[in-house]
Amino acid sequence: AQKVTQAQTEISVVEKEDVTLDCVYETRDTTYYLFWYKQPPSGELVFLIRRNSFDEQNEISGRYSWNFQKSTSSFNFTITASQVVDSAVYFCALSERYNQGGKLIFGQGTELSVKP
Amino acid sequence: DSGVTQTPKHLITATGQRVTLRCSPRSGDLSVYWYQQSLDQGLQFLIQYYNGEERAKGNILERFSAQQFPDLHSELNLSSLELGDSALYFCASSASTGGAEAFFGQGTRLTVV
């Protein structure tokens, strides 16, 4: 069965702290894709990153970095030197290559609050 | 701006009524997805269309239906509305299926009173 678990419901940090958002997934497929989306207070869902199951290289984009580990079925997201504008709900999602046309299975989200 | 347009942004209606939510995908995207976001259920996949044909179905109620038109825009029809249908409804589009990144519209916030 497909499942995404974001065990951290809420995280609160002070500006400039580093913070890691955890994501654990379950899938039987060997080909799958993992995503992170950001939902700021305004409500829209903003695409951040997509990784496929064959590419375990970590990725860095500015203050954002992602650590994909198939051995632990995890796809964690780290924000370095957090800023108030990073305050949002972050969703991890899974899509399986051959199942159901690419629908996204979302985790429950982690609400990140960055205080000045 | 994701390039996906949803209208209306807000909708308030009474129980028992019917509403239509509209979505225009990003230029060139053939795949349209509808998702429902509620406090108790989180983000749930409803239905997907690809180039005019239904491709996948999730936990969509029988009172809900959708279609994708030849110009690729999509509509989600919600009928016999109940209080529990109050939610944020998102449309997303992608260039293809099977793992392509999906870009989301701003959502339609539906309030049933």
Side-chain angles (χ1 to χ4, degrees), chain A residues 69-98:
Chain A
Q69 291 196 332
K70 282 177 80 168
S71 60
T72 56
S73 296
S74 65
F75 185 44
N76 296 336
F77 173 29
T78 297
I79 301 175
T80 303
S82 59
Q83 299 176 1
V84 172
V85 292
D86 296 326
S87 296
V89 181
Y90 291 86
F91 291 95
C92 180
L94 164 72
S95 172
E96 295 171 334
R97 176 67 177 89
Y98 296 109

mmCIF file of all heavy atoms in Angstrom, chain A residues 69-98:
data_model
loop_
_atom_site.group_PDB
_atom_site.id
_atom_site.type_symbol
_atom_site.label_atom_id
_atom_site.label_comp_id
_atom_site.label_asym_id
_atom_site.label_seq_id
_atom_site.Cartn_x
_atom_site.Cartn_y
_atom_site.Cartn_z
ATOM 1 N N GLN A 69 16.898 8.644 1.069
ATOM 2 C CA GLN A 69 17.537 7.378 1.434
ATOM 3 C C GLN A 69 16.557 6.233 1.230
ATOM 4 O O GLN A 69 15.624 6.063 2.016
ATOM 5 C CB GLN A 69 18.010 7.422 2.895
ATOM 6 C CG GLN A 69 19.166 8.378 3.137
ATOM 7 C CD GLN A 69 19.865 8.113 4.465
ATOM 8 O OE1 GLN A 69 19.253 7.623 5.402
ATOM 9 N NE2 GLN A 69 21.147 8.445 4.540
ATOM 10 N N LYS A 70 16.795 5.445 0.202
ATOM 11 C CA LYS A 70 15.911 4.318 -0.078
ATOM 12 C C LYS A 70 15.979 3.274 1.018
ATOM 13 O O LYS A 70 14.988 2.606 1.300
ATOM 14 C CB LYS A 70 16.282 3.677 -1.425
ATOM 15 C CG LYS A 70 15.774 4.469 -2.612
ATOM 16 C CD LYS A 70 16.208 3.871 -3.909
ATOM 17 C CE LYS A 70 15.361 2.694 -4.313
ATOM 18 N NZ LYS A 70 15.647 2.312 -5.722
ATOM 19 N N SER A 71 17.146 3.111 1.631
ATOM 20 C CA SER A 71 17.313 2.070 2.655
ATOM 21 C C SER A 71 16.385 2.284 3.838
ATOM 22 O O SER A 71 15.960 1.326 4.493
ATOM 23 C CB SER A 71 18.764 2.033 3.134
ATOM 24 O OG SER A 71 19.123 3.288 3.692
ATOM 25 N N THR A 72 16.046 3.538 4.099
ATOM 26 C CA THR A 72 15.147 3.840 5.216
ATOM 27 C C THR A 72 13.817 4.399 4.726
ATOM 28 O O THR A 72 12.988 4.830 5.526
ATOM 29 C CB THR A 72 15.798 4.853 6.180
ATOM 30 O OG1 THR A 72 16.167 6.022 5.436
ATOM 31 C CG2 THR A 72 17.026 4.258 6.859
ATOM 32 N N SER A 73 13.609 4.389 3.406
ATOM 33 C CA SER A 73 12.377 4.924 2.802
ATOM 34 C C SER A 73 12.085 6.332 3.321
ATOM 35 O O SER A 73 10.967 6.633 3.769
ATOM 36 C CB SER A 73 11.191 4.001 3.103
ATOM 37 O OG SER A 73 11.374 2.747 2.510
ATOM 38 N N SER A 74 13.097 7.160 3.281
ATOM 39 C CA SER A 74 12.909 8.517 3.789
ATOM 40 C C SER A 74 13.339 9.560 2.760
ATOM 41 O O SER A 74 14.219 9.307 1.927
ATOM 42 C CB SER A 74 13.679 8.712 5.093
ATOM 43 O OG SER A 74 15.066 8.617 4.860
ATOM 44 N N PHE A 75 12.685 10.696 2.831
ATOM 45 C CA PHE A 75 12.988 11.805 1.921
ATOM 46 C C PHE A 75 12.849 13.070 2.749
ATOM 47 O O PHE A 75 11.822 13.747 2.728
ATOM 48 C CB PHE A 75 12.026 11.776 0.743
ATOM 49 C CG PHE A 75 12.322 12.795 -0.331
ATOM 50 C CD1 PHE A 75 13.618 13.024 -0.775
ATOM 51 C CD2 PHE A 75 11.293 13.522 -0.917
ATOM 52 C CE1 PHE A 75 13.887 13.946 -1.772
ATOM 53 C CE2 PHE A 75 11.553 14.457 -1.913
ATOM 54 C CZ PHE A 75 12.845 14.662 -2.338
ATOM 55 N N ASN A 76 13.905 13.395 3.477
ATOM 56 C CA ASN A 76 13.845 14.495 4.431
ATOM 57 C C ASN A 76 14.267 15.819 3.807
ATOM 58 O O ASN A 76 15.072 15.864 2.874
ATOM 59 C CB ASN A 76 14.725 14.191 5.647
ATOM 60 C CG ASN A 76 14.229 12.979 6.418
ATOM 61 O OD1 ASN A 76 13.056 12.634 6.343
ATOM 62 N ND2 ASN A 76 15.128 12.335 7.141
ATOM 63 N N PHE A 77 13.735 16.878 4.362
ATOM 64 C CA PHE A 77 13.900 18.228 3.819
ATOM 65 C C PHE A 77 14.496 19.119 4.898
ATOM 66 O O PHE A 77 13.940 19.196 5.993
ATOM 67 C CB PHE A 77 12.516 18.712 3.378
ATOM 68 C CG PHE A 77 12.417 20.136 2.926
ATOM 69 C CD1 PHE A 77 13.484 20.804 2.350
ATOM 70 C CD2 PHE A 77 11.215 20.819 3.048
ATOM 71 C CE1 PHE A 77 13.363 22.116 1.915
ATOM 72 C CE2 PHE A 77 11.084 22.136 2.620
ATOM 73 C CZ PHE A 77 12.157 22.790 2.055
ATOM 74 N N THR A 78 15.607 19.751 4.581
ATOM 75 C CA THR A 78 16.272 20.630 5.545
ATOM 76 C C THR A 78 16.286 22.057 5.029
ATOM 77 O O THR A 78 16.623 22.299 3.869
ATOM 78 C CB THR A 78 17.712 20.156 5.830
ATOM 79 O OG1 THR A 78 17.665 18.863 6.423
ATOM 80 C CG2 THR A 78 18.427 21.123 6.775
ATOM 81 N N ILE A 79 15.902 22.953 5.908
ATOM 82 C CA ILE A 79 16.022 24.383 5.618
ATOM 83 C C ILE A 79 17.144 24.918 6.497
ATOM 84 O O ILE A 79 17.102 24.783 7.729
ATOM 85 C CB ILE A 79 14.710 25.133 5.913
ATOM 86 C CG1 ILE A 79 13.566 24.552 5.087
ATOM 87 C CG2 ILE A 79 14.878 26.618 5.611
ATOM 88 C CD1 ILE A 79 12.200 25.164 5.412
ATOM 89 N N THR A 80 18.123 25.499 5.863
ATOM 90 C CA THR A 80 19.265 26.064 6.585
ATOM 91 C C THR A 80 19.019 27.547 6.816
ATOM 92 O O THR A 80 18.501 28.241 5.938
ATOM 93 C CB THR A 80 20.547 25.870 5.764
ATOM 94 O OG1 THR A 80 20.715 24.467 5.484
ATOM 95 C CG2 THR A 80 21.768 26.381 6.506
ATOM 96 N N ALA A 81 19.401 27.992 7.994
ATOM 97 C CA ALA A 81 19.240 29.419 8.331
ATOM 98 C C ALA A 81 17.825 29.885 8.021
ATOM 99 O O ALA A 81 17.601 30.759 7.179
ATOM 100 C CB ALA A 81 20.276 30.261 7.576
ATOM 101 N N SER A 82 16.870 29.309 8.702
ATOM 102 C CA SER A 82 15.452 29.556 8.420
ATOM 103 C C SER A 82 15.117 31.045 8.528
ATOM 104 O O SER A 82 15.760 31.812 9.264
ATOM 105 C CB SER A 82 14.585 28.751 9.376
ATOM 106 O OG SER A 82 14.870 29.109 10.723
ATOM 107 N N GLN A 83 14.088 31.421 7.770
ATOM 108 C CA GLN A 83 13.610 32.803 7.766
ATOM 109 C C GLN A 83 12.116 32.801 8.041
ATOM 110 O O GLN A 83 11.432 31.787 7.818
ATOM 111 C CB GLN A 83 13.892 33.449 6.411
ATOM 112 C CG GLN A 83 15.368 33.503 6.043
ATOM 113 C CD GLN A 83 15.603 34.060 4.645
ATOM 114 O OE1 GLN A 83 14.669 34.438 3.939
ATOM 115 N NE2 GLN A 83 16.867 34.110 4.250
ATOM 116 N N VAL A 84 11.611 33.936 8.458
ATOM 117 C CA VAL A 84 10.181 34.040 8.768
ATOM 118 C C VAL A 84 9.330 33.655 7.555
ATOM 119 O O VAL A 84 8.279 33.030 7.690
ATOM 120 C CB VAL A 84 9.839 35.456 9.256
ATOM 121 C CG1 VAL A 84 8.333 35.634 9.401
ATOM 122 C CG2 VAL A 84 10.538 35.737 10.588
ATOM 123 N N VAL A 85 9.817 33.977 6.371
ATOM 124 C CA VAL A 85 9.050 33.662 5.150
ATOM 125 C C VAL A 85 8.962 32.161 4.883
ATOM 126 O O VAL A 85 8.186 31.720 4.026
ATOM 127 C CB VAL A 85 9.656 34.344 3.901
ATOM 128 C CG1 VAL A 85 9.480 35.832 3.984
ATOM 129 C CG2 VAL A 85 11.096 33.935 3.683
ATOM 130 N N ASP A 86 9.744 31.378 5.600
ATOM 131 C CA ASP A 86 9.650 29.922 5.454
ATOM 132 C C ASP A 86 8.455 29.350 6.215
ATOM 133 O O ASP A 86 8.142 28.159 6.080
ATOM 134 C CB ASP A 86 10.932 29.244 5.959
ATOM 135 C CG ASP A 86 12.153 29.608 5.139
ATOM 136 O OD1 ASP A 86 12.013 29.808 3.917
ATOM 137 O OD2 ASP A 86 13.259 29.706 5.730
ATOM 138 N N SER A 87 7.818 30.154 7.018
ATOM 139 C CA SER A 87 6.651 29.689 7.785
ATOM 140 C C SER A 87 5.565 29.244 6.820
ATOM 141 O O SER A 87 5.096 30.027 5.977
ATOM 142 C CB SER A 87 6.124 30.802 8.694
ATOM 143 O OG SER A 87 7.076 31.160 9.662
ATOM 144 N N ALA A 88 5.181 27.988 6.944
ATOM 145 C CA ALA A 88 4.212 27.397 6.013
ATOM 146 C C ALA A 88 3.945 25.971 6.465
ATOM 147 O O ALA A 88 4.573 25.466 7.402
ATOM 148 C CB ALA A 88 4.770 27.379 4.589
ATOM 149 N N VAL A 89 3.007 25.340 5.779
ATOM 150 C CA VAL A 89 2.826 23.900 5.948
ATOM 151 C C VAL A 89 3.540 23.226 4.777
ATOM 152 O O VAL A 89 3.369 23.628 3.624
ATOM 153 C CB VAL A 89 1.341 23.499 5.955
ATOM 154 C CG1 VAL A 89 1.203 21.990 6.153
ATOM 155 C CG2 VAL A 89 0.597 24.247 7.063
ATOM 156 N N TYR A 90 4.338 22.229 5.094
ATOM 157 C CA TYR A 90 5.106 21.529 4.068
ATOM 158 C C TYR A 90 4.576 20.106 3.932
ATOM 159 O O TYR A 90 4.400 19.387 4.919
ATOM 160 C CB TYR A 90 6.593 21.509 4.437
ATOM 161 C CG TYR A 90 7.222 22.878 4.344
ATOM 162 C CD1 TYR A 90 7.165 23.760 5.419
ATOM 163 C CD2 TYR A 90 7.850 23.295 3.172
ATOM 164 C CE1 TYR A 90 7.727 25.022 5.337
ATOM 165 C CE2 TYR A 90 8.413 24.559 3.080
ATOM 166 C CZ TYR A 90 8.345 25.417 4.154
ATOM 167 O OH TYR A 90 8.891 26.676 4.067
ATOM 168 N N PHE A 91 4.337 19.727 2.702
ATOM 169 C CA PHE A 91 3.800 18.400 2.407
ATOM 170 C C PHE A 91 4.805 17.587 1.607
ATOM 171 O O PHE A 91 5.382 18.071 0.620
ATOM 172 C CB PHE A 91 2.508 18.507 1.590
ATOM 173 C CG PHE A 91 1.351 19.072 2.342
ATOM 174 C CD1 PHE A 91 1.060 20.423 2.267
ATOM 175 C CD2 PHE A 91 0.543 18.250 3.115
ATOM 176 C CE1 PHE A 91 -0.019 20.961 2.964
ATOM 177 C CE2 PHE A 91 -0.538 18.772 3.808
ATOM 178 C CZ PHE A 91 -0.813 20.122 3.739
ATOM 179 N N CYS A 92 4.963 16.358 2.015
ATOM 180 C CA CYS A 92 5.715 15.371 1.261
ATOM 181 C C CYS A 92 4.688 14.522 0.508
ATOM 182 O O CYS A 92 3.590 14.265 1.026
ATOM 183 C CB CYS A 92 6.521 14.511 2.240
ATOM 184 S SG CYS A 92 7.526 13.226 1.482
ATOM 185 N N ALA A 93 5.001 14.101 -0.705
ATOM 186 C CA ALA A 93 4.047 13.328 -1.495
ATOM 187 C C ALA A 93 4.764 12.254 -2.303
ATOM 188 O O ALA A 93 5.943 12.374 -2.626
ATOM 189 C CB ALA A 93 3.252 14.250 -2.422
ATOM 190 N N LEU A 94 4.000 11.219 -2.632
ATOM 191 C CA LEU A 94 4.515 10.060 -3.369
ATOM 192 C C LEU A 94 3.652 9.829 -4.603
ATOM 193 O O LEU A 94 2.417 9.930 -4.527
ATOM 194 C CB LEU A 94 4.445 8.826 -2.460
ATOM 195 C CG LEU A 94 4.575 7.441 -3.086
ATOM 196 C CD1 LEU A 94 6.003 7.182 -3.543
ATOM 197 C CD2 LEU A 94 4.143 6.366 -2.083
ATOM 198 N N SER A 95 4.289 9.492 -5.707
ATOM 199 C CA SER A 95 3.562 9.107 -6.907
ATOM 200 C C SER A 95 4.221 7.852 -7.462
ATOM 201 O O SER A 95 5.438 7.774 -7.542
ATOM 202 C CB SER A 95 3.632 10.242 -7.939
ATOM 203 O OG SER A 95 3.088 9.833 -9.165
ATOM 204 N N GLU A 96 3.395 6.880 -7.806
ATOM 205 C CA GLU A 96 3.929 5.640 -8.341
ATOM 206 C C GLU A 96 3.825 5.644 -9.857
ATOM 207 O O GLU A 96 2.830 6.090 -10.421
ATOM 208 C CB GLU A 96 3.190 4.445 -7.752
ATOM 209 C CG GLU A 96 3.430 4.315 -6.252
ATOM 210 C CD GLU A 96 2.533 3.276 -5.611
ATOM 211 O OE1 GLU A 96 1.459 3.018 -6.147
ATOM 212 O OE2 GLU A 96 2.935 2.735 -4.566
ATOM 213 N N ARG A 97 4.835 5.124 -10.503
ATOM 214 C CA ARG A 97 4.952 5.244 -11.948
ATOM 215 C C ARG A 97 3.792 4.591 -12.686
ATOM 216 O O ARG A 97 3.250 5.164 -13.632
ATOM 217 C CB ARG A 97 6.268 4.598 -12.398
ATOM 218 C CG ARG A 97 6.481 4.565 -13.913
ATOM 219 C CD ARG A 97 6.661 5.950 -14.477
ATOM 220 N NE ARG A 97 6.941 5.911 -15.895
ATOM 221 C CZ ARG A 97 6.004 5.928 -16.830
ATOM 222 N NH1 ARG A 97 4.716 5.963 -16.483
ATOM 223 N NH2 ARG A 97 6.324 5.887 -18.089
ATOM 224 N N TYR A 98 3.422 3.393 -12.270
ATOM 225 C CA TYR A 98 2.450 2.651 -13.066
ATOM 226 C C TYR A 98 1.087 2.543 -12.393
ATOM 227 O O TYR A 98 0.243 1.793 -12.817
ATOM 228 C CB TYR A 98 2.990 1.245 -13.346
ATOM 229 C CG TYR A 98 4.244 1.301 -14.177
ATOM 230 C CD1 TYR A 98 5.470 0.988 -13.623
ATOM 231 C CD2 TYR A 98 4.200 1.715 -15.496
ATOM 232 C CE1 TYR A 98 6.621 1.069 -14.381
ATOM 233 C CE2 TYR A 98 5.342 1.796 -16.255
ATOM 234 C CZ TYR A 98 6.547 1.471 -15.694
ATOM 235 O OH TYR A 98 7.691 1.545 -16.430
#
